[in-house]
Amino acid sequence: MAPEILENPSNTREEIMGATLATLLEHGYADLTIDKIGDEFAKSQSLIYHHYDGKDDLVLETLEFMLEAFRTKSIEGPVEEPRDALEEVVDQLFERSIDDDERQSMAALFELRAQATHDEAYRSHFNRSDDVFEDLIVDIVEAGIDRGVFQPCNPEGVAATLITMINGTIMRRSTSEDDEWVGDVREEIESYLEACVYAE
Amino acid sequence: MAPEILENPSNTREEIMGATLATLLEHGYADLTIDKIGDEFAKSQSLIYHHYDGKDDLVLETLEFMLEAFRTKSIEGPVEEPRDALEEVVDQLFERSIDDDERQSMAALFELRAQATHDEAYRSHFNRSDDVFEDLIVDIVEAGIDRGVFQPCNPEGVAATLITMINGTIMRRSTSEDDEWVGDVREEIESYLEACVYAE
C-alpha cells in the first residue's frame, strides 16, 4: 500500500481512487461504503456512481492502479547492487516498529486479501500482486548469483520464502499491537540470508 | 483446525461446536448463519439460541475449545527428540500438496483471522493461538539446545519465524490453488534450519 501515489491525482479517476484509499484506511473494508467514499471525494458523488458498480469495483481498480505503479517503478533498470537491493527489501518490510497509520494500512490490506477466499476478482488481484513482488526478488537474486555476490541458490525459493514471511508479518501485525517478535524474526531472516543466500 | 476433535462429541455443547465447525468449513465465515448451523445440528435449534448470543459467540467458543485441546495434547511431556519434533512441525505445516478440505479449513481460518482486524474477541483469540504455537516451538528449540543437538540460537526468534511462515502459508494457500511455491519454501526452511538451528 503506497498512499502517496494517489496524493497528487492528475484526473478524476485518480481522485476517486485517492478517496477510495483514504476511506478504506480510515474505516476498514467491513465498514466501507460508496457513500463514505463520496464524502471523501471533492466533486459530485454521481461521478462515482456513474463510473463504478459498487465498492469492490472501486477498491479493485485502486489496488490494480497501485500495483501497476509499483511494478513500473520497480523495473526501472538492471539491479546494480543485489545485496543492497535485497537488504532494502528486508529493511522496508520488516521494520521493527511501525506507526498507527502503517498498521492501519496493513490491516486494510489483510481484510481485502481475506475477500480473496470467496471472491474471484480479489483472488486474481492478489495472485498477481504476489507474482509481481516475487519477480522483483527473483531478479535481485538472479543478479546476485550472476555477479558472484550470492551463492548458487534457488531464486524462486528465496523469493517465495520472503513473500511468505511478508504475508505472515502483515497478518500478525494487522491483528496485534505487540511488535516484539518482529525484531527477532528480522534477525533470523538476516541469519538465513547470510547462511543460504549471500556469498561469503 | 482439527475437525476430528469434534467428530465424537461427548455432550450437547460439543455437538453444537461440531455443527459450527462443519458449517463454517462448508460455507465459509461470510455466509455463516445460526440457521445454517442449526441445519447441521441433530437436536433442536432452540438449544443453540438458548446458549449462544450469535454466530461469533459460537465460532469463538469452538476456536477456543480446539486450541485448548491442541494445547493439552501438545504438552504431554518433555521433548525427547527435538530434531524429530521440529521436523514433524515442518512436515505437518508445509505439506507440498493439500486436498480441497484442507484448503477450505485454511481459508476459513484465514477469514476468521481477518475478523481480528476489527473485533477484539477474535484478536484476543488469535494472539493466544500464536502464543500457544510459539511456546510449543520454543520448548522444542530449548530442548534441542540443552541436549546439544541444536546450535546456541534464539528459541523465540526461531519460533516467531516459523509462526510467521505458517501464517503466510495459510494466507497464500487460502487464496490460490497454485501450490508450486510451497515445495520451494519448504526447501528454504530446511536450509535455514540446517544452517542456523541444527548442530552439525
Side-chain angles (χ1 to χ4, degrees), chain A residues 124-196:
Chain A
S124 151
H125 169 78
F126 282 108
N127 287 339
R128 204 156 43 244
S129 151
D130 280 341
D131 288 344
V132 166
F133 284 97
E134 211 156 86
D135 287 349
L136 170 74
I137 297 172
V138 166
D139 283 349
I140 294 173
V141 178
E142 282 178 349
I145 297 171
D146 284 350
R147 285 161 190 258
V149 293
F150 287 7
Q151 302 171 35
C153 56
N154 173 10
E156 282 77 18
V158 176
T161 300
L162 290 176
I163 298 297
T164 305
M165 293 297 298
I166 291 160
N167 285 340
T169 300
I170 290 173
M171 182 190 278
R172 194 159 172 193
R173 275 196 140 151
S174 300
T175 55
S176 164
E177 274 90 40
D178 160 31
D179 279 344
E180 219 185 312
W181 56 277
V182 179
D184 281 343
V185 164
R186 191 185 163 136
E187 276 168 34
E188 296 301 314
I189 292 173
E190 279 161 11
S191 301
Y192 156 69
L193 294 175
E194 286 288 349
C196 306

Coordinates of all heavy atoms in Angstrom, one line a residue, chain A residues 124-196:
Chain A
S124 N -7.7 -13.0 -8.0 CA -6.9 -12.8 -9.1 C -5.9 -11.6 -8.9 O -4.7 -11.7 -9.3 CB -7.8 -12.6 -10.3 OG -7.3 -11.8 -11.3
H125 N -6.4 -10.6 -8.3 CA -5.5 -9.4 -8.0 C -4.4 -9.8 -7.1 O -3.2 -9.5 -7.3 CB -6.3 -8.3 -7.3 CG -5.3 -7.2 -6.8 ND1 -4.7 -6.3 -7.6 CD2 -4.8 -7.1 -5.5 CE1 -3.8 -5.6 -6.8 NE2 -3.9 -6.0 -5.6
F126 N -4.7 -10.5 -6.0 CA -3.6 -10.8 -5.0 C -2.6 -11.9 -5.5 O -1.5 -11.9 -5.2 CB -4.2 -11.2 -3.6 CG -4.6 -10.0 -2.9 CD1 -6.0 -9.7 -2.7 CD2 -3.7 -9.1 -2.4 CE1 -6.4 -8.5 -2.0 CE2 -4.1 -8.0 -1.7 CZ -5.4 -7.7 -1.5
N127 N -3.1 -12.8 -6.4 CA -2.1 -13.7 -7.0 C -1.2 -12.9 -7.9 O 0.0 -13.2 -7.9 CB -2.9 -14.8 -7.8 CG -3.5 -15.8 -6.9 OD1 -3.2 -15.9 -5.7 ND2 -4.5 -16.5 -7.4
R128 N -1.7 -11.9 -8.6 CA -0.9 -11.1 -9.5 C 0.1 -10.3 -8.6 O 1.3 -10.2 -8.9 CB -1.8 -10.2 -10.3 CG -1.1 -9.7 -11.6 CD -2.1 -9.3 -12.7 NE -3.2 -8.5 -12.1 CZ -4.5 -8.9 -12.2 NH1 -4.8 -10.1 -12.7 NH2 -5.4 -8.2 -11.7
S129 N -0.4 -9.8 -7.5 CA 0.4 -9.0 -6.6 C 1.6 -9.8 -6.0 O 2.7 -9.4 -6.0 CB -0.5 -8.4 -5.5 OG 0.2 -8.2 -4.4
D130 N 1.3 -11.1 -5.6 CA 2.4 -11.9 -5.1 C 3.4 -12.2 -6.3 O 4.6 -12.2 -6.0 CB 1.8 -13.3 -4.7 CG 1.2 -13.3 -3.3 OD1 1.5 -12.3 -2.5 OD2 0.4 -14.2 -3.0
D131 N 2.9 -12.4 -7.5 CA 3.8 -12.6 -8.6 C 4.7 -11.4 -8.9 O 5.9 -11.6 -9.2 CB 3.0 -12.9 -9.9 CG 2.4 -14.3 -9.8 OD1 2.8 -15.1 -9.0 OD2 1.5 -14.6 -10.6
V132 N 4.1 -10.2 -8.8 CA 4.9 -9.0 -9.0 C 6.1 -8.9 -8.0 O 7.2 -8.7 -8.3 CB 4.1 -7.7 -9.0 CG1 4.9 -6.5 -8.9 CG2 3.2 -7.7 -10.2
F133 N 5.7 -9.1 -6.7 CA 6.8 -9.0 -5.7 C 7.8 -10.1 -5.8 O 9.0 -9.9 -5.6 CB 6.1 -9.0 -4.3 CG 5.5 -7.7 -3.9 CD1 4.1 -7.5 -4.1 CD2 6.3 -6.6 -3.5 CE1 3.5 -6.3 -3.8 CE2 5.7 -5.4 -3.2 CZ 4.3 -5.2 -3.4
E134 N 7.3 -11.3 -6.2 CA 8.2 -12.5 -6.3 C 9.1 -12.2 -7.5 O 10.3 -12.4 -7.4 CB 7.3 -13.7 -6.6 CG 8.0 -15.0 -6.1 CD 7.0 -16.0 -5.8 OE1 6.6 -16.8 -6.7 OE2 6.5 -16.1 -4.7
D135 N 8.6 -11.7 -8.6 CA 9.5 -11.4 -9.8 C 10.6 -10.4 -9.4 O 11.7 -10.5 -9.8 CB 8.7 -10.8 -10.9 CG 7.8 -11.9 -11.6 OD1 8.1 -13.1 -11.3 OD2 7.0 -11.6 -12.4
L136 N 10.2 -9.4 -8.6 CA 11.2 -8.4 -8.2 C 12.3 -9.0 -7.4 O 13.5 -8.7 -7.6 CB 10.4 -7.4 -7.3 CG 11.2 -6.3 -6.6 CD1 11.7 -5.3 -7.5 CD2 10.4 -5.7 -5.4
I137 N 12.0 -9.9 -6.5 CA 13.0 -10.6 -5.7 C 13.8 -11.6 -6.5 O 15.0 -11.6 -6.4 CB 12.4 -11.2 -4.4 CG1 11.7 -10.1 -3.5 CG2 13.4 -11.9 -3.6 CD1 10.9 -10.6 -2.4
V138 N 13.1 -12.3 -7.4 CA 13.9 -13.2 -8.3 C 14.9 -12.5 -9.1 O 16.1 -12.9 -9.2 CB 12.9 -14.0 -9.2 CG1 13.6 -14.7 -10.3 CG2 12.1 -15.0 -8.4
D139 N 14.5 -11.3 -9.6 CA 15.5 -10.5 -10.4 C 16.7 -10.1 -9.6 O 17.9 -10.2 -10.0 CB 14.8 -9.2 -10.9 CG 13.9 -9.5 -12.1 OD1 14.0 -10.6 -12.6 OD2 13.1 -8.5 -12.5
I140 N 16.5 -9.7 -8.3 CA 17.6 -9.3 -7.4 C 18.5 -10.6 -7.2 O 19.7 -10.5 -7.3 CB 17.0 -8.8 -6.1 CG1 16.3 -7.5 -6.3 CG2 18.2 -8.6 -5.1 CD1 15.6 -6.9 -5.1
V141 N 17.9 -11.7 -6.9 CA 18.7 -12.9 -6.5 C 19.5 -13.4 -7.8 O 20.6 -13.7 -7.7 CB 17.8 -14.0 -5.9 CG1 18.7 -15.2 -5.6 CG2 17.1 -13.5 -4.6
E142 N 18.8 -13.4 -8.9 CA 19.5 -13.8 -10.1 C 20.7 -12.9 -10.4 O 21.8 -13.4 -10.8 CB 18.5 -13.8 -11.3 CG 17.6 -15.1 -11.3 CD 16.6 -15.1 -12.4 OE1 16.4 -14.1 -13.1 OE2 16.0 -16.2 -12.6
A143 N 20.5 -11.6 -10.3 CA 21.6 -10.6 -10.5 C 22.7 -10.9 -9.5 O 23.9 -10.9 -9.9 CB 21.1 -9.2 -10.3
G144 N 22.4 -11.2 -8.2 CA 23.4 -11.5 -7.2 C 24.2 -12.8 -7.6 O 25.4 -12.8 -7.4
I145 N 23.5 -13.8 -8.1 CA 24.2 -15.0 -8.5 C 25.1 -14.7 -9.7 O 26.3 -15.1 -9.7 CB 23.2 -16.2 -8.8 CG1 22.4 -16.5 -7.6 CG2 23.9 -17.4 -9.3 CD1 21.2 -17.5 -7.8
D146 N 24.6 -14.0 -10.7 CA 25.3 -13.7 -11.9 C 26.6 -12.9 -11.6 O 27.6 -13.1 -12.2 CB 24.5 -12.8 -12.8 CG 23.4 -13.6 -13.6 OD1 23.5 -14.8 -13.5 OD2 22.5 -13.0 -14.2
R147 N 26.5 -12.0 -10.6 CA 27.7 -11.2 -10.3 C 28.6 -11.9 -9.2 O 29.6 -11.3 -8.8 CB 27.2 -9.9 -9.7 CG 26.6 -8.9 -10.8 CD 25.7 -7.9 -10.2 NE 25.1 -7.2 -11.3 CZ 25.5 -6.0 -11.8 NH1 26.5 -5.3 -11.2 NH2 24.8 -5.5 -12.8
G148 N 28.2 -13.1 -8.8 CA 29.0 -13.8 -7.9 C 29.0 -13.3 -6.4 O 29.7 -13.7 -5.6
V149 N 28.0 -12.4 -6.1 CA 27.9 -11.9 -4.8 C 26.9 -12.7 -3.9 O 26.9 -12.6 -2.7 CB 27.6 -10.4 -4.7 CG1 28.8 -9.6 -5.2 CG2 26.3 -10.1 -5.4
F150 N 26.1 -13.6 -4.6 CA 25.2 -14.5 -3.9 C 25.7 -15.9 -4.2 O 26.3 -16.2 -5.3 CB 23.8 -14.4 -4.4 CG 23.1 -13.1 -4.0 CD1 23.7 -12.1 -3.3 CD2 21.7 -13.0 -4.2 CE1 23.1 -11.0 -2.9 CE2 21.0 -11.8 -3.8 CZ 21.7 -10.8 -3.2
Q151 N 25.4 -16.9 -3.3 CA 25.7 -18.3 -3.6 C 24.8 -18.8 -4.7 O 23.8 -18.2 -5.0 CB 25.4 -19.1 -2.3 CG 26.1 -18.7 -1.0 CD 25.5 -19.4 0.2 OE1 25.1 -20.6 0.1 NE2 25.5 -18.7 1.3
P152 N 25.2 -20.0 -5.3 CA 24.3 -20.6 -6.2 C 23.1 -21.1 -5.4 O 23.2 -22.1 -4.8 CB 25.1 -21.7 -6.8 CG 26.3 -21.9 -6.0 CD 26.4 -20.7 -5.1
C153 N 22.0 -20.4 -5.4 CA 20.8 -20.8 -4.7 C 19.6 -20.7 -5.6 O 19.7 -20.4 -6.8 CB 20.6 -19.8 -3.5 SG 20.4 -18.1 -3.9
N154 N 18.4 -21.1 -5.1 CA 17.2 -21.1 -5.9 C 16.4 -19.8 -5.8 O 15.8 -19.5 -4.8 CB 16.3 -22.3 -5.4 CG 14.9 -22.3 -6.1 OD1 14.7 -21.6 -7.1 ND2 14.0 -23.2 -5.6
P155 N 16.5 -18.9 -6.8 CA 15.9 -17.6 -6.7 C 14.4 -17.6 -6.4 O 13.9 -16.9 -5.6 CB 16.2 -17.0 -8.1 CG 17.4 -17.7 -8.6 CD 17.2 -19.1 -8.1
E156 N 13.7 -18.6 -7.1 CA 12.3 -18.7 -6.8 C 12.0 -19.1 -5.3 O 11.0 -18.6 -4.7 CB 11.6 -19.7 -7.7 CG 11.4 -19.3 -9.1 CD 12.6 -19.2 -10.0 OE1 13.6 -19.9 -9.6 OE2 12.6 -18.5 -11.0
G157 N 12.8 -20.0 -4.8 CA 12.7 -20.4 -3.4 C 12.9 -19.2 -2.4 O 12.1 -19.0 -1.5
V158 N 14.0 -18.5 -2.7 CA 14.3 -17.3 -1.8 C 13.1 -16.3 -1.9 O 12.7 -15.8 -0.9 CB 15.6 -16.6 -2.2 CG1 15.9 -15.4 -1.4 CG2 16.8 -17.6 -2.1
A159 N 12.7 -16.1 -3.1 CA 11.6 -15.1 -3.3 C 10.3 -15.6 -2.6 O 9.7 -14.8 -1.9 CB 11.3 -14.9 -4.8
A160 N 9.9 -16.8 -2.8 CA 8.7 -17.3 -2.2 C 8.8 -17.3 -0.7 O 7.8 -17.0 0.0 CB 8.4 -18.8 -2.7
T161 N 10.0 -17.6 -0.2 CA 10.2 -17.5 1.3 C 10.0 -16.1 1.8 O 9.3 -15.9 2.8 CB 11.6 -18.0 1.6 OG1 11.7 -19.4 1.1 CG2 11.8 -18.0 3.1
L162 N 10.6 -15.1 1.2 CA 10.4 -13.8 1.6 C 9.0 -13.3 1.5 O 8.4 -12.6 2.4 CB 11.4 -12.8 0.9 CG 12.9 -13.0 1.3 CD1 13.8 -12.2 0.5 CD2 13.1 -12.8 2.8
I163 N 8.3 -13.6 0.4 CA 6.9 -13.3 0.2 C 6.0 -13.9 1.3 O 5.2 -13.2 1.9 CB 6.4 -13.7 -1.2 CG1 7.1 -13.1 -2.3 CG2 4.9 -13.5 -1.3 CD1 7.0 -11.6 -2.4
T164 N 6.3 -15.2 1.6 CA 5.6 -15.8 2.7 C 5.8 -15.1 4.0 O 4.9 -14.9 4.8 CB 6.0 -17.3 2.8 OG1 5.8 -17.9 1.5 CG2 5.1 -18.1 3.7
M165 N 7.0 -14.8 4.3 CA 7.4 -14.0 5.6 C 6.6 -12.7 5.6 O 6.2 -12.3 6.6 CB 8.9 -13.8 5.7 CG 9.7 -15.0 5.8 SD 9.5 -15.9 7.3 CE 9.9 -14.7 8.6
I166 N 6.6 -12.0 4.5 CA 5.9 -10.7 4.4 C 4.4 -10.9 4.7 O 3.9 -10.1 5.5 CB 6.2 -10.0 3.0 CG1 7.7 -9.6 2.9 CG2 5.3 -8.8 2.8 CD1 8.2 -9.4 1.5
N167 N 3.8 -11.8 4.0 CA 2.4 -12.1 4.2 C 2.1 -12.4 5.6 O 1.1 -11.9 6.2 CB 1.9 -13.2 3.2 CG 1.8 -12.7 1.8 OD1 1.7 -11.5 1.6 ND2 1.7 -13.6 0.9
G168 N 2.9 -13.3 6.2 CA 2.7 -13.7 7.6 C 2.9 -12.5 8.6 O 2.2 -12.4 9.6
T169 N 3.8 -11.6 8.2 CA 4.1 -10.4 9.1 C 2.9 -9.5 9.0 O 2.4 -8.9 10.0 CB 5.4 -9.7 8.6 OG1 6.4 -10.7 8.8 CG2 5.7 -8.5 9.5
I170 N 2.4 -9.3 7.8 CA 1.2 -8.4 7.6 C 0.0 -9.0 8.4 O -0.7 -8.3 9.1 CB 0.8 -8.3 6.1 CG1 1.8 -7.5 5.3 CG2 -0.6 -7.7 5.9 CD1 1.6 -7.5 3.8
M171 N -0.2 -10.3 8.3 CA -1.3 -10.9 9.1 C -1.2 -10.7 10.6 O -2.1 -10.2 11.2 CB -1.3 -12.5 8.8 CG -2.5 -13.1 9.5 SD -2.4 -15.0 9.5 CE -3.0 -15.4 7.9
R172 N 0.0 -10.9 11.1 CA 0.1 -10.8 12.6 C 0.2 -9.3 13.0 O -0.4 -9.0 14.0 CB 1.4 -11.5 13.0 CG 1.4 -11.7 14.5 CD 2.4 -12.8 14.9 NE 2.6 -13.0 16.3 CZ 3.6 -13.7 16.8 NH1 4.4 -14.3 16.0 NH2 3.7 -13.8 18.1
R173 N 0.8 -8.5 12.2 CA 0.9 -7.0 12.6 C -0.5 -6.4 12.6 O -0.8 -5.5 13.3 CB 1.8 -6.3 11.7 CG 3.2 -6.4 12.1 CD 4.1 -5.3 11.5 NE 5.0 -4.8 12.4 CZ 6.2 -4.4 12.1 NH1 6.7 -4.3 10.9 NH2 7.0 -3.9 13.1
S174 N -1.4 -6.9 11.6 CA -2.7 -6.4 11.5 C -3.6 -6.7 12.7 O -4.7 -6.1 12.9 CB -3.4 -7.0 10.3 OG -2.7 -6.7 9.1
T175 N -3.2 -7.7 13.4 CA -4.1 -8.2 14.5 C -3.5 -8.2 15.8 O -4.0 -8.9 16.7 CB -4.6 -9.6 14.1 OG1 -3.5 -10.5 13.9 CG2 -5.5 -9.6 12.8
S176 N -2.4 -7.5 16.0 CA -1.8 -7.4 17.3 C -0.9 -6.1 17.4 O -0.3 -5.7 16.4 CB -0.9 -8.6 17.5 OG 0.0 -8.4 18.6
E177 N -1.0 -5.5 18.6 CA -0.1 -4.3 18.8 C 1.3 -4.7 19.2 O 2.2 -3.8 19.3 CB -0.7 -3.3 19.8 CG -1.7 -2.4 19.2 CD -3.1 -3.0 19.3 OE1 -3.5 -3.6 20.3 OE2 -3.9 -2.8 18.3
D178 N 1.5 -5.9 19.6 CA 2.8 -6.4 20.1 C 3.7 -6.6 18.9 O 3.4 -7.5 18.1 CB 2.6 -7.7 20.9 CG 3.9 -8.5 21.1 OD1 4.9 -7.8 21.1 OD2 3.8 -9.7 21.2
D179 N 4.8 -5.9 18.9 CA 5.7 -6.0 17.7 C 7.0 -6.6 18.1 O 8.0 -6.6 17.4 CB 6.0 -4.6 17.1 CG 4.9 -4.2 16.2 OD1 4.1 -5.0 15.8 OD2 4.9 -2.9 15.9
E180 N 7.1 -7.1 19.4 CA 8.4 -7.6 19.9 C 9.0 -8.7 19.0 O 10.2 -8.7 18.8 CB 8.1 -8.1 21.3 CG 9.2 -7.8 22.3 CD 8.9 -8.5 23.6 OE1 7.7 -8.4 24.1 OE2 9.8 -9.2 24.2
W181 N 8.2 -9.5 18.5 CA 8.6 -10.7 17.7 C 9.2 -10.2 16.4 O 10.0 -11.0 15.8 CB 7.4 -11.6 17.5 CG 6.3 -10.9 16.8 CD1 5.3 -10.2 17.4 CD2 6.0 -10.8 15.4 NE1 4.4 -9.7 16.5 CE2 4.9 -10.0 15.2 CE3 6.6 -11.3 14.3 CZ2 4.3 -9.7 14.0 CZ3 6.1 -11.0 13.0 CH2 5.0 -10.2 12.9
V182 N 8.9 -9.0 15.9 CA 9.4 -8.6 14.6 C 10.9 -8.5 14.5 O 11.5 -8.9 13.6 CB 8.7 -7.3 14.1 CG1 9.2 -6.9 12.7 CG2 7.2 -7.5 14.0
G183 N 11.5 -7.9 15.6 CA 12.9 -7.8 15.7 C 13.6 -9.2 15.6 O 14.6 -9.4 14.9
D184 N 13.0 -10.1 16.4 CA 13.5 -11.5 16.4 C 13.5 -12.1 15.0 O 14.4 -12.8 14.5 CB 12.7 -12.4 17.3 CG 13.1 -12.1 18.8 OD1 14.2 -11.6 19.1 OD2 12.3 -12.5 19.7
V185 N 12.3 -11.9 14.3 CA 12.1 -12.5 13.0 C 13.1 -11.9 12.0 O 13.7 -12.6 11.2 CB 10.7 -12.3 12.5 CG1 10.6 -12.5 11.0 CG2 9.7 -13.2 13.3
R186 N 13.3 -10.6 12.1 CA 14.2 -10.0 11.2 C 15.7 -10.5 11.4 O 16.4 -10.7 10.4 CB 14.2 -8.5 11.5 CG 14.9 -7.7 10.5 CD 15.0 -6.3 10.8 NE 16.0 -5.7 10.0 CZ 15.8 -4.6 9.4 NH1 14.7 -3.9 9.5 NH2 16.8 -4.1 8.7
E187 N 16.1 -10.7 12.6 CA 17.4 -11.3 12.8 C 17.5 -12.7 12.2 O 18.6 -13.0 11.7 CB 17.8 -11.3 14.3 CG 18.3 -10.0 14.8 CD 18.4 -9.9 16.3 OE1 18.7 -10.9 17.0 OE2 18.2 -8.8 16.8
E188 N 16.5 -13.5 12.3 CA 16.5 -14.8 11.7 C 16.6 -14.7 10.2 O 17.3 -15.5 9.6 CB 15.3 -15.7 12.2 CG 15.2 -16.0 13.7 CD 16.4 -16.7 14.2 OE1 16.8 -17.7 13.6 OE2 16.9 -16.3 15.3
I189 N 15.8 -13.8 9.6 CA 15.9 -13.6 8.2 C 17.3 -13.2 7.8 O 17.8 -13.7 6.8 CB 14.9 -12.5 7.7 CG1 13.5 -13.0 7.9 CG2 15.1 -12.2 6.2 CD1 12.4 -11.9 7.6
E190 N 17.9 -12.3 8.5 CA 19.3 -11.9 8.2 C 20.3 -13.1 8.3 O 21.1 -13.3 7.5 CB 19.7 -10.7 9.0 CG 19.1 -9.5 8.4 CD 19.1 -8.3 9.4 OE1 19.7 -8.3 10.5 OE2 18.5 -7.2 9.0
S191 N 20.0 -14.0 9.4 CA 20.9 -15.2 9.5 C 20.7 -16.1 8.3 O 21.7 -16.7 7.8 CB 20.5 -15.9 10.8 OG 20.7 -15.1 11.9
Y192 N 19.4 -16.3 7.9 CA 19.1 -17.1 6.8 C 19.8 -16.6 5.5 O 20.4 -17.4 4.7 CB 17.6 -17.2 6.6 CG 17.1 -17.6 5.2 CD1 17.3 -18.8 4.7 CD2 16.4 -16.6 4.4 CE1 16.9 -19.1 3.4 CE2 16.0 -16.9 3.2 CZ 16.2 -18.2 2.6 OH 15.8 -18.5 1.4
L193 N 19.7 -15.3 5.2 CA 20.3 -14.7 4.0 C 21.8 -14.8 4.1 O 22.4 -15.2 3.1 CB 19.9 -13.3 3.9 CG 18.4 -13.0 3.6 CD1 18.0 -11.5 3.5 CD2 17.9 -13.7 2.3
E194 N 22.4 -14.6 5.2 CA 23.9 -14.7 5.4 C 24.3 -16.2 5.1 O 25.3 -16.4 4.4 CB 24.3 -14.4 6.8 CG 24.3 -12.9 7.2 CD 25.4 -12.1 6.5 OE1 26.3 -12.7 5.9 OE2 25.3 -10.9 6.6
A195 N 23.5 -17.1 5.7 CA 24.0 -18.5 5.6 C 23.6 -19.2 4.2 O 24.4 -20.0 3.7 CB 23.3 -19.4 6.7
C196 N 22.5 -18.8 3.6 CA 22.0 -19.5 2.5 C 22.0 -18.7 1.2 O 21.7 -19.3 0.1 CB 20.6 -20.1 2.8 SG 20.5 -21.0 4.3

